[in-house]
Amino acid sequence: MSKKLHYIYDPYCSWCYAISSFVQYANAHGVEVELHGGGMITGERVAAPSDELRKILKDNQPKITELAGVQFSDSYYQTLDQDWVMNSIPPSAAVVAAQQSAGKGLEMIKAIQAAQFQKGWVISEQSTIDRLAEELSLNNEAFKSAYAQLIGGEITQHFADTRALMEKRGAKGFPTLLLELNGKQSLIPTQNVYGNQDAWREILKLT
């Protein structure tokens, strides 16, 4: 039986971070994982977080920790109060470039989520992307070339393909999980995944 988990995410999505351990679990248990960046913050949405959004994030993150067990560091909360810009393009391009150049897309999104939510780094900054690439041994021409092409415009098509997949499957937001068995895709209700490790094998149809 062929099996694949489609992980539709955005680097800024806290709930995507909350479900990341399930995605890593699937990969560790032999399930192929395909990553789909959705481009949640692009175009006119690229900006510093508003005061309202900062408050929402501060209020919601403890709830996510309680439900899913993931941690948000003091450094993350300190960064929330600083002057920085949210832009999904650089971190999403880094994930796609990591996958295209070395098959390390999953490692890159994990590193990006850790950088933001655990270390308080600004993931839209080029210095952060460069640092993560170096940590993952991706500081090479293959990654740099793929990343440059994506930043130059190719990431737009990746976002469009993701949005088309979401529309086709009736997905409403991030994260979205699709389990593909022998070419047939079905939605995994995310509420069944958070903090429910005992059910993960059954959800993934692992024998």
Side-chain angles (χ1 to χ4, degrees):
M1 176 188 295
S2 64
K3 188 180 302 183
K4 181 188 294 186
L5 179 67
H6 296 267
Y7 176 37
I8 300 174
Y9 72 95
D10 186 85
Y12 289 98
C13 167
S14 304
W15 287 104
C16 297
Y17 168 53
I19 217 163
S20 62
S21 56
F22 172 77
V23 178
Q24 298 291 338
Y25 176 91
N27 179 66
H29 285 79
V31 179
E32 180 184 356
V33 176
E34 185 167 338
L35 302 167
H36 306 269
M40 184 171 70
I41 303 173
T42 59
E44 294 181 354
R45 294 184 177 182
V46 174
S50 65
D51 290 342
E52 180 182 6
L53 178 56
R54 293 175 205 261
K55 184 179 186 306
I56 290 172
L57 292 173
K58 289 178 182 179
D59 290 344
N60 282 350
Q61 310 313 38
K63 300 174 185 177
I64 294 175
T65 295
E66 182 178 0
L67 180 62
V70 294
Q71 301 299 314
F72 299 86
S73 71
D74 291 341
S75 296
Y76 165 74
Y77 287 111
Q78 290 167 7
T79 299
L80 278 182
D81 290 327
Q82 297 173 7
D83 185 21
W84 57 288
V85 172
M86 302 176 75
N87 182 353
S88 294
I89 289 178
S92 300
V95 173
V96 178
Q99 184 62 32
Q100 290 178 348
S101 64
K104 291 186 175 182
L106 198 57
E107 290 94 328
M108 180 60 82
I109 185 56
K110 181 179 180 180
I112 286 170
Q113 289 168 335
Q116 177 176 212
F117 298 116
Q118 297 173 18
K119 301 175 183 176
W121 297 358
V122 178
I123 60 172
S124 61
E125 293 184 352
Q126 189 59 48
S127 59
T128 297
I129 302 300
D130 292 342
R131 186 171 180 178
L132 295 177
E134 185 172 358
E135 289 179 357
L136 294 174
S137 299
L138 290 170
N139 193 20
N140 53 53
E141 286 306 314
F143 173 80
K144 291 178 180 178
S145 176
Y147 179 76
Q149 291 183 52
L150 288 156
I151 289 291
E154 288 186 6
I155 194 65
T156 303
Q157 185 59 52
H158 177 82
F159 291 153
D161 291 344
T162 297
R163 295 287 182 166
L165 176 61
M166 293 174 72
E167 183 176 356
K168 182 178 181 180
R169 297 304 174 202
K172 303 301 183 183
F174 309 106
T176 290
L177 298 173
L178 298 169
L179 185 62
E180 181 176 329
L181 299 175
N182 295 328
K184 184 177 181 180
Q185 297 175 354
S186 59
L187 280 168
I188 297 176
T190 54
Q191 66 268 22
N192 294 345
V193 174
Y194 296 118
N196 193 21
Q197 289 88 337
D198 290 343
W200 287 359
R201 289 190 63 85
E202 181 179 353
I203 291 171
L204 291 166
K205 311 297 184 186
L206 298 175
T207 56

